[in-house]
Amino acid sequence: DAVSMGPHVVVNPDGLLPPIGFSHAVIATPGRIVHLGGQTGHHADGSLPDGLVAQFDPACHNLAVALRAAGAVPQHLTALQIYVTDMAGYRVALRDLGAAYRRHLGRHYPAIALLGVAGLFDPDALVELVATAVVPGEE
């Protein structure tokens, strides 16, 4: 089942688990590809809040800032990988994490993967977001 979601087409086929907070596939419209480096919950001054939700919120903010600096908006996201060091904590905090995501990225859900990892570059970081966006019509 393909649905236009902003400039791109989201595909969530029958026969797969119904997606909640992600899309199974995204067909990107032709355009300029933007690869976004890993965004953690660090503030511009280098400080890092305590707790998964407290870090996820600024990580989403940082991703949105990087997107806009590259001439893109959240609706241009085609893929997002979420790396977390505490998968059980992520599951427990889904409601608050979803609210933080929507606050910065809206209700556009690209193809998303959630990956549990042993650690991130900053040992105090609990989450890192890596994304790809396609800005339409700018090949």
Side-chain angles (χ1 to χ4, degrees):
D1 298 327
V3 176
S4 180
M5 204 53 185
H8 308 301
V9 176
V10 171
V11 180
N12 290 308
D14 293 335
L16 294 180
L17 182 69
I20 298 174
F22 72 97
S23 296
H24 285 288
V26 175
I27 302 169
T29 191
R32 181 173 44 94
I33 299 172
V34 179
H35 298 279
L36 296 138
Q39 299 298 318
T40 58
H42 289 86
H43 296 292
D45 65 4
S47 64
L48 184 67
D50 291 329
L52 181 58
V53 175
Q55 288 187 20
F56 188 78
D57 190 81
C60 289
H61 167 79
N62 295 344
L63 184 68
V65 169
L67 268 171
R68 288 185 180 90
V73 295
Q75 293 76 14
H76 295 152
L77 286 171
T78 56
L80 173 64
Q81 294 81 45
I82 303 170
Y83 297 90
V84 296
T85 60
D86 179 6
M87 190 66 79
Y90 190 95
R91 286 186 197 103
V92 168
L94 275 178
R95 183 176 304 268
D96 293 332
L97 294 166
Y101 178 96
R102 289 186 299 278
R103 186 169 26 261
H104 300 287
L105 302 171
R107 292 189 175 274
H108 171 72
Y109 301 107
I112 297 177
L114 175 64
L115 302 117
V117 296
L120 298 166
F121 181 77
D122 181 329
D124 295 325
L126 304 174
V127 62
E128 187 165 344
L129 308 177
V130 178
T132 304
V134 176
V135 180
E138 296 186 23
E139 294 181 78

